């Protein structure tokens, strides 16, 4: 197609060449560039696409899109094209290459978002669970619904995993095109704060945007500068949706929604005594009226070796909500999903059935275990999530609550201290082990976690090898115990020095339980 066709919604300046050329495809990774492609230079946290301009040109790029004031030009606006006099490629300059890429990708794939009804979910916690709940309800109601999220991407044509919760805009548009072409009528997307900050979903109109909650997380040099920036990034979603569904129990909701033009629907927990204290929907978020969907009368259930929870629902949906997953926080996720499904005219009986039977990989996932002992695998990999998971399991009154967890490398040290302190406070016994050490020595990470545990009187043991740690937890089990294996959840690898080695907590538990029989 013509390059000019990709630029219809982009403000640009032609530095060199012409926009009236034929191009083959669109790329943002120089390693993927081929003869006749357009290469868009985007800046990441660890590298800058402008550094790979020469490589892209050597590979045959017909055009490159650069950002004004890029580092290689010393802050000069007249950039890049003048530093490549030998290049025959067209050079275009834009104010923001990430937003340009989003617009160009949508044009390249024929604006697939316009052919689908899209639901976007943002929040510190609950995105994956809520996404799975919504999608399952839509599937039961007869919709063909795609999924883009942390655990997997399902385009209707293929199912695979992605390294980011929300991929780059170019990949998002490719996946949406696959969904539309495979017969999907809708799609559910987990929309991370990073994706919103970096414009990965720029230009996409969501039918419904969901806000689950906001907690202190992702504040670091490589993520967000502070809570204000974090909140502002989450807020962007609600300028891109027609209808918003929000958690009235979260005190940040009014700030998240303030000044946004979308129609608004709320959900909340009505005086429910839960693992995190008492949830009160009225007064949680300032200036938010009585929620449209309300849960009350929660009870913790333990049937057929499954820890669950149930409650009554009132407001725009009436009935009993039952979940085969533990925790009042999952009732909150269920309310969010129910509100979205109601917007899609899904019958109430289907909504309740879908929520009762859904299970989410790596999210308080029960795995088979011998004897009167329960083992759960959870993705809790930060302080907020670990505290919630442990306090939730405490509500089921286990004989002992055992935690097995670690912390990822190249992340905030404060997270390690806090997670160690939380484990020491809420678990009867903690086994500290590795969890994606990345480029850090595992021993240093474990010592940081230990510093946090030692702020408490909690009993603990350090076992660096994750398989050995899980094996020890299984061997030491007693009747009535609950073992929480936290941190990796759905992940099937261990990342060490840039290499991802196969490792799946489910398989480790299975192997260890067979050995221990």
């Amino acid at each position: 197609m013509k390059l000019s066709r990709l630029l219809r919604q982009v403000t640009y300046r032609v530095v060199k060449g012409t926009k009236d050329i034929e191009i083959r495809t669109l790329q943002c990774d120089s390693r993927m560039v081929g003869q006749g492609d357009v290469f868009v230079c985007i800046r990441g946290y660890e590298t800058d696409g402008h550094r790979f301009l020469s490589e892209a040109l050597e590979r045959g790029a017909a055009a490159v899109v650069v950002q004004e004031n890029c580092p290689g030009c010393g802050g000069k606006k007249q950039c890049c094209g003048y530093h490549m006099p030998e290049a025959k490629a067209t050079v275009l300059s834009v104010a923001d290459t990430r937003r340009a890429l989003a617009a160009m990708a949508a044009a390249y794939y024929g604006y697939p978002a316009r052919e689908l009804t899209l639901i976007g979910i943002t929040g510190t916690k609950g995105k994956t669970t809520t996404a799975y709940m919504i999608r399952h309800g839509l599937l039961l109601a007869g919709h063909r619904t795609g999924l883009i999220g942390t655990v997997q991407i399902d385009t209707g044509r293929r199912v695979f995993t992605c390294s980011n919760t929300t991929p780059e805009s170019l990949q998002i548009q490719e996946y949406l095109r696959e969904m539309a072409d495979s017969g999907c009528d809708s799609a559910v997307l987990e929309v991370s704060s990073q994706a919103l900050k970096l414009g990965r979903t720029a230009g996409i109109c969501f039918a419904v945007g969901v806000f689950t909650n906001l907690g202190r997380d992702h504040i670091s040099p490589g993520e967000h500068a502070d809570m204000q920036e974090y909140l502002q990034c989450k807020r962007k979603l609600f300028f891109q949706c027609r209808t918003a569904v929000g958690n009235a129990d979260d005190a940040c909701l009014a700030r998240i929604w303030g000044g946004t033009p979308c129609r608004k629907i709320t959900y909340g927990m009505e005086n429910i005594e839960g693992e995190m204290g008492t949830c009160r929907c009225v007064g949680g978020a300032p200036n938010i009226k009585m929620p449209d969907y309300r849960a009350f009368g929660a009870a913790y259930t333990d049937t057929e070796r499954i820890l669950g929870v149930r409650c009554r629902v009132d407001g725009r949906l009436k009935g009993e909500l039952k979940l085969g997953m533990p925790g009042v926080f999952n009732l909150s996720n269920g309310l969010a999903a129910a509100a979205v499904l109601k917007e899609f005219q899904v019958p109430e009986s289907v909504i309740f059935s879908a929520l009762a039977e859904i299970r989410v990989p790596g999210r308080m996932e029960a795995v088979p275990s011998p004897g009167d002992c329960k083992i759960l695998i959870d993705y809790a990999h930060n302080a907020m999530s670990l505290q919630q998971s442990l306090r939730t399991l405490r509500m089921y009154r286990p004989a002992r609550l055992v935690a097995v967890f670690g912390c990822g490398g190249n992340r905030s040290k404060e997270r390690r201290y806090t997670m160690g302190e939380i484990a020491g406070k809420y678990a009867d016994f903690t086994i500290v082990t590795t969890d994606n050490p990345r480029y850090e020595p595992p021993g240093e990470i474990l010592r940081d976690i230990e510093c946090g545990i030692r702020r408490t009187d909690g009993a603990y043991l350090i076992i660096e090898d994750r398989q050995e740690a899980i094996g020890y937890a299984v061997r030491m089990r007693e009747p009535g115990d609950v073992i929480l294996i936290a941190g990796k959840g759905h992940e099937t690898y261990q990342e060490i020095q840039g290499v991802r080695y196969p490792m799946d907590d489910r398989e480790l538990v299975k192997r260890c339980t067979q050995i221990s029989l």
Side-chain angles (χ1 to χ4, degrees), residues 35 114 128 178 212 229 252 270 288 346 355 373-374 378 381 388 405 431 438 444 450-451 488 494:
Q35 195 70 35
R114 297 175 182 176
T128 298
E178 284 190 26
T212 59
E229 183 194 294
C252 293
E270 196 165 294
I288 300 297
V346 175
L355 295 176
C373 169
K374 294 183 175 65
D378 193 56
H381 60 285
Q388 188 174 62
F405 84 101
I431 302 172
R438 299 187 177 91
E444 291 185 12
E450 183 181 22
C451 287
K488 297 190 64 61
Q494 179 86 294

Side-chain angles (χ1 to χ4, degrees), residues 1 5-7 9-10 26-28 40 97-113 168-174 176-177 200 202:
M1 65 178 67
R5 181 177 168 185
L6 303 186
L7 300 170
Q9 295 184 336
V10 179
L26 182 64
Q27 299 289 356
C28 60
V40 182
T97 49
R98 283 190 173 276
R99 296 196 172 275
L101 177 65
M104 294 172 73
Y108 180 80
Y109 285 104
Y111 301 98
E168 285 291 353
S169 58
L170 182 58
Q171 282 69 50
I172 290 176
Q173 295 296 336
E174 177 188 354
L176 294 180
R177 170 46 59 201
R200 293 176 185 166

Side-chain angles (χ1 to χ4, degrees), residues 176-229:
L176 294 180
R177 170 46 59 201
E178 284 190 26
M179 291 176 193
D181 289 349
S182 66
C184 290
D185 57 39
S186 50
V188 183
L189 286 74
E190 293 181 49
V191 185
S192 68
S193 58
Q194 288 293 318
L196 291 161
K197 178 178 180 177
L198 299 176
R200 293 176 185 166
T201 58
I204 294 177
C205 179
F206 293 90
V208 182
V210 181
F211 169 69
T212 59
N213 48 63
L214 192 75
R216 189 167 186 85
D217 195 25
H218 304 296
I219 311 300
S220 71
E223 297 177 283
H224 298 286
D226 51 37
M227 282 297 292
Q228 180 61 20
E229 183 194 294

Side-chain angles (χ1 to χ4, degrees), residues 49-278:
H50 294 85
R51 292 171 49 196
F52 304 101
L53 273 170
S54 296
E55 180 184 343
L57 291 167
E58 288 172 5
R59 289 175 174 272
V64 296
V65 181
V66 299
Q67 189 158 311
E68 292 178 357
N69 302 313
C70 77
C73 299
K76 296 177 182 177
K77 270 200 134 182
Q78 300 295 320
C79 76
C80 287
Y82 297 102
H83 294 270
M84 300 180 293
E86 75 290 350
K88 296 179 181 180
T90 290
V91 180
L92 304 175
S93 177
V94 298
D96 185 335
T97 49
R98 283 190 173 276
R99 296 196 172 275
L101 177 65
M104 294 172 73
Y108 180 80
Y109 285 104
Y111 301 98
R114 297 175 182 176
E115 302 173 36
L116 300 162
T117 302
L118 301 181
I119 302 106
I121 305 166
T122 197
T124 303
K125 302 191 303 337
K127 294 188 294 297
T128 298
T129 299
T130 305
Y132 266 74
M133 288 173 164
I134 293 169
R135 181 170 184 256
H136 190 58
L138 290 174
L139 291 174
L140 284 187
H143 291 273
R144 293 197 64 181
T145 306
L147 175 69
I148 296 178
T150 306
V151 175
Q152 68 178 22
I153 294 171
D154 186 346
T155 67
R157 182 179 297 170
R158 55 188 176 131
V159 179
F160 54 99
T161 59
C162 180
S163 58
N164 295 323
T165 294
T166 314
E168 285 291 353
S169 58
L170 182 58
Q171 282 69 50
I172 290 176
Q173 295 296 336
E174 177 188 354
Y175 304 151
L176 294 180
R177 170 46 59 201
E178 284 190 26
M179 291 176 193
D181 289 349
S182 66
C184 290
D185 57 39
S186 50
V188 183
L189 286 74
E190 293 181 49
V191 185
S192 68
S193 58
Q194 288 293 318
L196 291 161
K197 178 178 180 177
L198 299 176
R200 293 176 185 166
T201 58
I204 294 177
C205 179
F206 293 90
V208 182
V210 181
F211 169 69
T212 59
N213 48 63
L214 192 75
R216 189 167 186 85
D217 195 25
H218 304 296
I219 311 300
S220 71
E223 297 177 283
H224 298 286
D226 51 37
M227 282 297 292
Q228 180 61 20
E229 183 194 294
Y230 186 33
L231 183 147
Q232 289 302 322
C233 288
K234 293 288 188 191
R235 190 166 176 264
K236 291 176 186 289
L237 177 63
F238 302 99
F239 287 95
Q240 293 178 235
C241 65
R242 292 193 294 272
T243 297
V245 172
N247 183 359
D249 293 323
D250 194 289
C252 293
L253 181 61
R255 293 170 63 198
I256 291 282
W257 277 359
T260 59
C262 48
R263 170 173 164 258
K264 297 172 176 66
I265 296 170
T266 56
Y267 64 93
M269 317 290 281
E270 196 165 294
N271 295 325
I272 288 181
E273 291 289 345
E275 55 273 3
M276 299 303 284
T278 302

